[in-house]
Amino acid sequence: MRLRSLALAAGAALMLTACGSEPTSPGVDEPTPAPTEKQLNAIFASAGREFNVPAELLKSIGYVETRFQMVRGEVEFDGMAPAFGIMALRGDRLTRGASLARVSMEAARSDATSNIRSAAALLSALADEHRVNRADLAAWAPAVAAFSGIQSQEGQAMYVHSDVYSALRSGIEARSPSGNLMVSVAARNVSPDFARPSASTSALACAPDYCVSGTIWRASPNYSSRSTGIHYVIIHTCESGYSGCWSWLTNSSSGVSAHYVVNESGSEISQLVREADKAWHIGANYDCANNGGHDCHNNGIQANNLTIGIEHGGYASSTSWPVGQIDASAKLSCDISKSQGIPRDRYHYVGHGQLQPYNRTDPGANWPWTDYMNRINSHCGSTSIIVDSNNANNNGTVAKYEVSANWGTGSSAGYYGTGYNFASTEAISDPATFWFYLPAAATRTIDGWWVAGTNRSTTAPFIAYNASGAEVGRVSANQQINGGKWVALGTWNFSAGWNKVQLSRWTTAGYVVIADAVRIR
């Protein structure tokens, strides 16, 4: 039995105590956390019994739509209403499901039980409309297709065959970060009673600009000619599952598109628009103030002209991202970097919400930027490692970060990843530690990244240690200047294993030191 596995994020954030004169960033609303193991299984089972819907079918839809995360969707594409909850209910389907389940709209959006019950009630009503034999799991396929809200027959077919029923055939096993089993569905040998996709995957395989295993060419009519060269890659979230995403982006009436869409497991990527052409994926003009002051000569140019857009099945409110999806996207981004000459840094790989902050936030606060950039560089043959001050951004096999609760959090413009830590300078042993793993001894150059300011230390002490704990070098950095970019700190000899660079607070009092990110190259 082959089971689809997923680690569910807890969605909890560590709140660090503020110190010094650096203000902390305002709080951000967190998605409603998923229920516990016993609660979630019981909710699915109860909803299935109440509305005479197979619980395993409900679970499969929940897996396909959100990986069992309680999402609070946003608008990504005009004309597509935001989705909510584990079952990703949206628009008329949300309204109808809530009415059938006799719960309020807000409960259907934010309460897991109400959301799953609303989905079950809606699926049950659709089963009646399609005269489904409820005892036959395969016969539920037309109701599943209708539940998806996908307009195209091809998209419905892929949703049914390649998503929901594929998950049923493989089985589902979702675990919490601690390894506890959250949701499981035993593999079922079932083939849906629904028309198969009109064209086989093999017939569509090999996209024009990215011809690797698992790529599919699904041409969108929504594109136009570029008026400039390509300078950036924009990372998006679909605010939906994969099949619903590419189906909408290839719909001529939607008026939107992207160059690529990456599915949740990373097993499939659709190319919709050739890289040489302009996809319609961002509704903003370029403004260097949203990108660390870089490339101000591009100000005022419509951003679609300058960019390649990559959509990802998922939501900006997601608390975690499947490793397979992140790695497949990073491999694609490496290919784009090589073919288009795009620098592999955070000023050229940017979030949709970064360049269009007035009404977009994707890919969201939990997109693992540092891990993503590390993977891009790794696929492109670079041995660089970036360690961010947010471990959610790090590839834990080679990078990790430690800091005490005495350090505060900040998010002034120019940070790397998702913010930084800061602490007052004083004669105290309380460093921020950037760990990195080397498989063999090597001489490496260490770069630092910080947000500059007048209250920063001009002698911020960076100290490097090898895996045995012996100091191999140190430098004092002036953090009042050279903010928002990589600054070389020194080149030192490190040993195999877990080495570290520490930023100490022990220097001239009256300032703060900024722990943001380090790069090992």
Side-chain angles (χ1 to χ4, degrees), residues 101 122 259:
L122 175 60
H259 292 90

Side-chain angles (χ1 to χ4, degrees), residues 170-183:
S170 298
I172 300 169
E173 187 177 278
R175 295 184 178 274
S176 68
S178 61
N180 293 327
L181 183 64
M182 296 287 291
V183 181

Side-chain angles (χ1 to χ4, degrees), residues 365-447:
N366 295 309
W367 181 265
W369 277 110
T370 304
D371 183 24
Y372 187 64
M373 298 306 301
N374 279 335
R375 289 176 184 273
I376 294 173
N377 282 307
S378 177
H379 283 302
C380 283
S382 171
T383 58
S384 293
I385 300 171
I386 297 175
V387 189
D388 189 52
S389 55
N390 182 348
N391 272 319
N393 294 334
N394 293 326
N395 177 356
T397 62
V398 295
K400 57 186 178 181
Y401 174 76
E402 290 181 345
V403 72
S404 77
N406 299 320
W407 289 66
T409 58
S411 58
S412 298
Y415 59 80
Y416 192 94
T418 53
Y420 53 87
N421 294 128
F422 68 90
S424 299
T425 53
E426 58 181 303
I428 187 173
S429 181
D430 183 26
T433 304
F434 300 86
W435 293 91
F436 60 96
Y437 182 83
L438 296 178
T443 300
R444 292 297 187 94
T445 296
I446 306 298
D447 302 320

Side-chain angles (χ1 to χ4, degrees), residues 207-503:
D209 294 309
Y210 190 57
C211 187
V212 300
S213 176
T215 60
I216 297 177
W217 173 237
R218 292 185 165 106
S220 173
N222 306 325
Y223 70 93
S224 51
S225 299
R226 293 185 185 274
S227 60
T228 65
I230 300 167
H231 297 273
Y232 316 97
V233 174
I234 297 186
I235 304 302
H236 300 262
T237 55
C238 292
E239 298 303 302
S240 73
Y242 172 68
S243 291
C245 188
W246 65 255
S247 296
W248 184 249
L249 296 177
T250 55
N251 184 336
S252 60
S253 66
S254 73
V256 288
S257 62
H259 292 90
Y260 296 96
V261 186
V262 184
N263 79 347
E264 290 82 353
S265 67
S267 62
E268 184 174 300
I269 297 175
S270 291
Q271 182 174 4
L272 313 181
V273 176
R274 295 177 185 271
E275 291 178 11
D277 292 322
K278 178 173 65 176
W280 305 338
H281 59 105
I282 174 170
N285 292 341
Y286 184 82
D287 182 351
C288 68
N290 295 326
N291 197 21
H294 281 252
D295 300 338
C296 293
H297 60 277
N298 286 327
N299 279 0
I301 298 175
Q302 210 292 317
N304 284 323
N305 285 304
L306 300 165
T307 59
I308 288 175
I310 305 178
E311 290 279 357
H312 299 79
Y315 304 82
S317 65
S318 294
T319 55
S320 65
W321 293 90
V323 172
Q325 184 179 39
I326 295 298
D327 194 64
S329 179
K331 187 176 181 180
L332 167 62
S333 281
C334 166
D335 185 82
I336 295 170
S337 172
K338 289 181 175 179
S339 63
Q340 303 297 340
I342 297 176
R344 297 186 291 275
D345 60 42
R346 282 287 285 112
Y347 295 119
H348 294 87
Y349 285 82
V350 296
H352 186 189
Q354 182 178 338
L355 296 190
Q356 191 177 336
Y358 61 89
N359 64 353
R360 295 291 189 272
T361 65
D362 58 313
N366 295 309
W367 181 265
W369 277 110
T370 304
D371 183 24
Y372 187 64
M373 298 306 301
N374 279 335
R375 289 176 184 273
I376 294 173
N377 282 307
S378 177
H379 283 302
C380 283
S382 171
T383 58
S384 293
I385 300 171
I386 297 175
V387 189
D388 189 52
S389 55
N390 182 348
N391 272 319
N393 294 334
N394 293 326
N395 177 356
T397 62
V398 295
K400 57 186 178 181
Y401 174 76
E402 290 181 345
V403 72
S404 77
N406 299 320
W407 289 66
T409 58
S411 58
S412 298
Y415 59 80
Y416 192 94
T418 53
Y420 53 87
N421 294 128
F422 68 90
S424 299
T425 53
E426 58 181 303
I428 187 173
S429 181
D430 183 26
T433 304
F434 300 86
W435 293 91
F436 60 96
Y437 182 83
L438 296 178
T443 300
R444 292 297 187 94
T445 296
I446 306 298
D447 302 320
W449 186 295
W450 53 80
V451 176
T454 57
N455 67 338
R456 287 15 175 188
S457 172
T458 60
T459 56
F462 285 89
I463 310 167
Y465 299 87
N466 65 19
S468 64
E471 181 180 327
V472 296
R474 67 170 60 205
V475 66
S476 293
N478 183 355
Q479 293 192 325
Q480 293 188 6
I481 60 174
N482 295 322
K485 63 181 181 180
W486 291 115
V487 179
L489 300 176
T491 302
W492 300 298
N493 297 321
F494 296 97
S495 53
W498 283 98
N499 299 267
K500 64 184 178 182
V501 174
Q502 290 188 322
L503 173 59

